[in-house]
């Protein structure tokens, strides 16, 4: 790794804002290869130098990847003056990492949202050229039929005239009837148009009552995460997102 300013290394590692970090460095709490450093602009190689803060070794991580089970009522954004955002749900410590959501879910959609500060990875994940598949679970008002499966396979015409790419609709429960007729489905999309799942069902005369994203590429939502909970990805899970072979096999 190339050398970077010491204050940037510390801020990338979650030790506070650049201002706070300069104060920490000035106080003499930071050492590099055993020597106290008070110059925040010193260039260091975080992979080769032993950096300590108050005697504790720094574990440098350039990028963070967080899987969140986004709850309904929260928007996929970093900040907003009116609405609570996915980033607002993270503890204070994570706020120093400039995390942002890689992709969007509607305010009423739950499920897998990736938060990261890796712009390149987010770009690749969302790029139409890369075709990273997204799998959704949904509750639909009415009876979803094999005819709908066929329509989705062929592509449906949305309200703006756009014909969707072929998608895989799987009926889990057709018309589970309690007081009203509902169906449970899973749908894999190979593209990401605005409100796409809801608009596709509208195109076949049905309404989405509940929507949850459960997979992006090879990355599955951890079922142990309740709505609003999150955890960092394991190194293997990060690889799933960058490994094109595995990403292709949803
Ligand atoms: N499709 C939708 O309609 N909404 C989402 O949040 C995601 C996909």
């Amino acid at each position: 790794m190339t050398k970077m300013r010491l204050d940037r290394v510390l801020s990338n590692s979650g030790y506070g804002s650049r201002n706070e970090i300069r104060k920490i460095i000035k106080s003499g709490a930071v050492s590099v290869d055993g020597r106290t450093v008070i110059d925040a602009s010193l260039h260091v190689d975080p992979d080769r130098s032993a950096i300590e803060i108050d005697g504790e070794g720094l574990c440098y991580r350039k990028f963070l990847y967080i899987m969140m089970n986004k709850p309904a009522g929260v928007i996929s954004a970093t900040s907003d003056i009116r609405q609570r955002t996915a980033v607002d749900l993270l503890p204070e410590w994570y706020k120093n990492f400039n995390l942002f959501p890689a992709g969007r879910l509607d305010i009423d959609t739950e499920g897998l949202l990736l938060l990261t500060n890796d712009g390149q990875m987010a770009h690749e994940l969302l790029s139409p050229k890369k075709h990273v598949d997204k799998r959704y679970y949904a509750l639909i008002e009415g009876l979803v039929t094999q005819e709908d499966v066929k329509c989705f396979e062929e592509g449906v015409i949305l309200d703006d005239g756009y014909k969707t790419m072929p998608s895989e609709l799987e009926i889990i429960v057709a018309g589970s009837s309690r007081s009203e007729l509902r169906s449970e489905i899973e749908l894999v999309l190979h593209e990401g148009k605005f409100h796409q799942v809801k608009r596709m069902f509208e195109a076949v005369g049905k309404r989405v009552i509940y929507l949850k994203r459960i997979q992006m590429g090879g990355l599955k939502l951890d079922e142990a995460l309740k709505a609003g909970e999150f955890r960092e990805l394991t190194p293997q899970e990060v690889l799933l997102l960058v490994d094109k072979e595995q990403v292709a096999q949803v």
Side-chain angles (χ1 to χ4, degrees), residues 81-140:
I81 44 169
R82 276 165 297 164
Q83 313 265 28
R84 224 150 59 105
T85 72
V87 172
D88 290 338
L89 299 185
L90 298 174
E92 208 48 44
W93 185 75
Y94 281 111
K95 307 246 160 89
N96 297 315
F97 285 93
N98 301 322
L99 296 165
F100 58 88
R104 301 184 80 83
L105 289 175
D106 296 338
I107 188 162
D108 57 349
T109 301
E110 291 187 1
L112 178 57
L113 188 67
L114 183 71
L115 297 156
T116 185
N117 50 359
D118 182 346
Q120 176 70 24
M121 138 97 73
H123 175 76
E124 300 219 343
L125 207 55
L126 305 174
S127 160
K129 285 195 201 121
K130 305 280 175 186
H131 294 299
V132 176
D133 299 341
K134 321 266 176 350
R135 182 182 283 272
Y136 294 89
Y137 164 87
L139 266 182
I140 309 296

Side-chain angles (χ1 to χ4, degrees), residues 195-212:
H195 297 326
Q196 184 160 347
V197 179
K198 292 173 187 160
R199 289 165 70 213
M200 285 178 75
F201 277 99
E202 270 164 30
V204 293
K206 298 186 174 101
R207 194 171 71 88
V208 173
I209 306 169
Y210 170 82
L211 184 59
K212 180 177 188 178

Side-chain angles (χ1 to χ4, degrees), residues 35-50:
R35 291 183 173 193
T36 301
V37 173
I38 49 165
D39 176 7
S41 71
L42 179 80
H43 278 66
V44 293
D45 179 342
D47 285 338
R48 287 165 190 256
S49 299

Side-chain angles (χ1 to χ4, degrees), residues 6-27 30 40:
L6 181 60
D7 52 0
R8 173 162 282 279
V9 173
L10 264 57
S11 86
N12 284 357
S13 307
Y15 282 88
S17 66
R18 290 290 273 279
N19 257 345
E20 287 162 346
I21 284 164
R22 271 181 214 132
K23 279 187 201 149
I24 296 173
I25 296 173
K26 273 229 165 87
S27 76
V30 180

